[in-house]
Amino acid sequence: MKISSWTKKLSSALLAAGIWVPSAVFARDIPLGDASFEDAVVPAAIGYSYSSTYRPTSAWVDDADMAGQDDGSSNWLYDAAYAETNPDRLRPAPRTGNQAMHGIGYYSGQETGAVFESGMVYKFSVWAQGDSDSTDSSSRVWLYIYDGSVPFSEPNSLTFARYAPDTGDFVNRAPGSSAAESQASWTQITISHRVEPGAPEIGQPVGVAFWGAGDGAVDDASLAAVVPEPTTVILAGMGGLLLLGRRRD
C-alpha cells in the first residue's frame, strides 16, 4: 500500500473514532472606517470627489503622515454612474453599494481601534479591478500593514506587497462589458503579518493602507486578526491516552 493511501486511511479511522482533532483557525473581524467607501457621498453632478472633500467623513486618510495630506491630489471616490460615462474608458463598477475608490498614485490608509497582539496573524484585504483601457501594470495596487505609532511610509511598514494583473492577482475590466459583468470581475487580494512574541508593535495601533496606480480601483476593504489553533492527534493506549503530535499552523 502506498504511504499516501495508508495516511488517508489512518486519518479517516482516527476521525471516525473521535480521537483526531483537526487544525482549526479562528478569526476576529476588526472594524474599518468606511470599509466600502460609501460614507462620504460624492456629488452626483460630477460623480467623483478627492480627499479635500470626502475627509473627514471618510476614515481613509490620504498620504497619512506625509506632505500634502488630504488635499485635491489624492486617490478619489467615484460612483456607479461615473464608472459608465466614458465608453472608451470604463471604470470598474462598484462591487457593492454605489461607490468605490480609484487610485491615482497616492496612499490611502487609517489607524484602527485595535492594537497588535502577540501570536496573532493580521490579514488586510481589498477587492481590486482595473480600468477597461488599462495595461497590466498601470492598474497595480500595493497593500500595507503598519504600526500606527510610527509615521506611515513604505519603509516603516511591517509588511507590504504589490498586486497587479501582470502577476495574475486581479483583472482589468473588459472593454465594452456591462456593469454587472464588471461587478463579477473583482478579485480579493490579501496581505498578512504575523506578530512574533516580543515584537515592538505589540500594544500599538494596527494601521492599514493601500497605494493605487492611475488605472486601479479598490472596494470593500476588511481586516481580521487570525489565531491559528494547534492540531492534536491522540491515540488510545494501554492505561491512558498518548499525545502523538501537536503543531501550530
Side-chain angles (χ1 to χ4, degrees), residues 36-38 40-43 46-50 54 75-85 89-103 127-131 173 182 186 215-219:
S36 294
F37 308 99
E38 301 285 328
V41 179
V42 305
I46 58 175
Y48 62 88
S49 64
Y50 291 90
Y54 66 68
N75 296 322
W76 43 277
L77 298 173
Y78 68 96
D79 63 21
Y82 179 81
E84 310 302 315
T85 56
R89 189 175 188 177
L90 297 171
R91 312 293 184 181
R95 179 176 174 269
T96 59
N98 189 56
Q99 296 181 175
M101 176 75 82
H102 197 280
W127 293 77
Q129 188 177 170
D131 291 352
R173 180 172 177 171
S182 177
W186 291 89
D215 287 315
V218 296
D219 204 357

Side-chain angles (χ1 to χ4, degrees), residues 141-214:
V141 174
W142 291 73
L143 297 185
Y144 304 83
I145 297 176
Y146 68 95
D147 176 348
S149 69
V150 178
F152 170 72
S153 68
E154 186 167 291
N156 285 346
S157 297
L158 297 169
T159 185
F160 58 88
R162 176 189 185 275
Y163 303 85
D166 59 15
T167 44
D169 301 308
F170 59 91
V171 299
N172 295 317
R173 180 172 177 171
S177 61
S178 67
E181 290 170 329
S182 177
Q183 287 175 327
S185 297
W186 291 89
T187 304
Q188 191 175 44
I189 55 178
T190 301
I191 194 169
S192 299
H193 171 66
R194 180 187 292 271
V195 181
E196 302 296 342
E201 66 268 22
I202 294 173
Q204 303 300 332
V206 179
V208 295
F210 63 87
W211 178 92

